[in-house]
Amino acid sequence: MEFLINLVLLLFLSAVTVAIIGVRNLFAVVVLGGAYSFLMATLLIAMDAVDVGMTEAAVGAGVSTVLLLSALHLTKTDEAPARHSNVLPIALSVLTGLVLVYGTWDLPRYGDSDTPMNTHVGAEYLERSIPETTVPNVVTSVLASYRGYDTLGETAVIFTAGIGVLMLLKGRRRREDEKEEDRS
Amino acid sequence: MRGHLILRVVSKLLIPFLLLFALYVQFHGDFGPGGGFQAGVIVAAAFVLYALIFGLREMQRIIPPAALEVAVPLGVLIYAGVGVLTWFLGGNFLDYGMLDSHDPSHGQHLGILLVEAGVLLTVASTMLLIFYTFAGRGR
């Protein structure tokens, strides 16, 4: 049953990807991107990664779709026709895809309990989390307590992203305003 | 957006529940899936929905951009501040067990609650601030 669900979701996912490549209208591309994120979130939930699925649904399908739409508001809604032949990009994409598929051959089987990640630190966390922190959700105790440094770094990354966007977009706007003042 | 009666009524009904769900995800993160990152983006999505339906100006009247510019670094400061606090209480950086002298596990819960609050603040306000800057340029 799970195999069937995954198969259907992956088929939908590839259909959406093909549609994104084919469609020239950027509004449709943004909406299809939202659909892609929702399918991805469902797939992640089917793989029991509920935390990641929630983030994907809220960020990928929700906030970033709105951000792309508001960016689209500032530009044209149709993709400009390609100036160069697209044989080389297609060949490069297919080659990269093949290399990635080749890479998955070396991955351990999904859900295998004998892999290093399940026998080495992972087992240690599962064993020690509840006696040491009494937090039932091991994901949270690893994220916020055992790996608190990493999460602090992630928060700092988001902070930096926000500051970066602010400096790029707000700074330029102020300069344009000044130019207008100079002219008048 | 003057018309769109159905959109306005439905989003007004939905937004309180969206925010309530975000708080559930935030405070239930110890027990179920979720935490600061997830709750933060849900809060941001709820406010973005409000801004889409009722207009950016109306949204900025409720949460002015200046307040967000304070909230973004404040979240990181809360997080790092908890780490510094545990230093002064005699532990390592981000050693939450030190926050409660009687029972280290209570300290763990308190520490996770505080840092997740910091994460929520930074994530939600950054998302909203990026939305403000993008949407504000169109006018």
Side-chain angles (χ1 to χ4, degrees):
Chain A
M1 191 61 200
E2 205 185 322
F3 171 76
L4 203 67
I5 293 174
N6 283 342
L7 189 73
V8 170
L9 284 172
L10 285 171
L11 277 177
F12 270 128
L13 212 56
S14 37
V16 169
T17 315
V18 171
I20 287 176
I21 298 168
V23 168
R24 309 298 292 180
N25 185 296
L26 290 176
F27 182 78
V29 169
V30 171
V31 173
L32 283 171
Y36 184 93
S37 286
F38 258 122
L39 286 169
M40 202 64 223
T42 322
L43 206 59
L44 286 167
I45 286 170
M47 293 172 87
D48 288 335
V50 189
D51 295 73
V52 195
M54 264 159 100
T55 320
E56 178 67 40
V59 177
V63 179
S64 69
T65 305
V66 171
L67 286 182
L68 285 172
L69 281 179
S70 42
L72 202 61
H73 186 60
L74 306 171
T75 171
K76 288 180 201 154
T77 45
D78 275 304
E79 194 181 334
R83 268 184 238 157
H84 306 285
S85 127
N86 46 17
V87 174
L88 186 68
I90 288 175
L92 202 65
S93 308
V94 170
L95 194 72
T96 315
L98 286 177
V99 168
L100 287 173
V101 170
Y102 176 69
T104 61
W105 286 355
D106 240 6
L107 283 179
R109 268 175 59 82
Y110 177 66
D112 195 348
S113 59
D114 292 331
T115 58
M117 59 183 176
N118 283 332
T119 52
H120 196 55
V121 232
E124 195 88 342
Y125 280 139
L126 287 176
E127 221 167 81
R128 284 167 53 172
S129 172
I130 288 178
E132 279 182 3
T133 66
T134 64
V135 173
N137 183 3
V138 183
V139 176
T140 300
S141 76
V142 170
L143 193 93
S145 186
Y146 291 109
R147 297 253 155 196
Y149 279 50
D150 295 10
T151 312
L152 178 59
E154 279 170 40
T155 317
V157 165
I158 292 180
F159 164 74
T160 319
I163 299 293
V165 168
L166 214 60
M167 280 174 81
L168 277 173
L169 293 183
K170 247 192 154 177
R172 188 171 298 163
R173 198 175 176 199
R174 199 167 296 146
R175 240 174 281 145
E176 278 165 14
D177 288 349
E178 277 165 15
K179 262 185 212 158
E180 271 164 33
E181 274 166 28
D182 289 344
R183 258 178 249 145
S184 61
Chain B
M1 214 178 260
R2 268 292 138 92
H4 302 296
L5 184 68
I6 294 173
L7 282 181
R8 268 167 41 203
V9 170
V10 168
S11 60
K12 248 188 189 172
L13 278 174
L14 266 179
I15 286 167
F17 290 103
L18 281 174
L19 291 175
L20 198 65
F21 180 61
L23 289 176
Y24 168 78
V25 168
Q26 169 79 7
F27 292 111
H28 211 252
D30 285 9
F31 307 99
F37 282 97
Q38 288 82 4
V41 287
I42 295 170
V43 167
F47 285 130
V48 166
L49 175 66
Y50 186 87
L52 285 178
I53 304 292
F54 297 96
L56 190 65
R57 192 170 301 161
E58 198 60 17
M59 184 66 237
Q60 287 185 340
R61 210 168 51 85
I62 300 167
I63 306 178
L68 287 180
E69 282 170 30
V70 173
V72 173
L74 189 66
V76 184
L77 271 181
I78 289 175
Y79 201 135
V82 171
V84 174
L85 188 67
T86 55
W87 251 344
F88 282 110
L89 291 172
N92 288 324
F93 190 66
L94 294 174
D95 186 0
Y96 308 134
M98 291 295 148
L99 292 172
D100 192 313
S101 50
H102 305 292
D103 188 352
S105 70
H106 285 178
Q108 286 283 348
H109 279 276
L110 184 64
I112 291 176
L113 190 77
L114 285 172
V115 299
E116 295 276 25
V119 172
L120 169 90
L121 205 58
T122 296
V123 171
S125 45
T126 305
M127 294 283 166
L128 211 53
L129 200 58
I130 294 176
F131 173 70
Y132 275 8
T133 3
F134 264 100
R137 280 177 71 85
R139 289 177 305 170

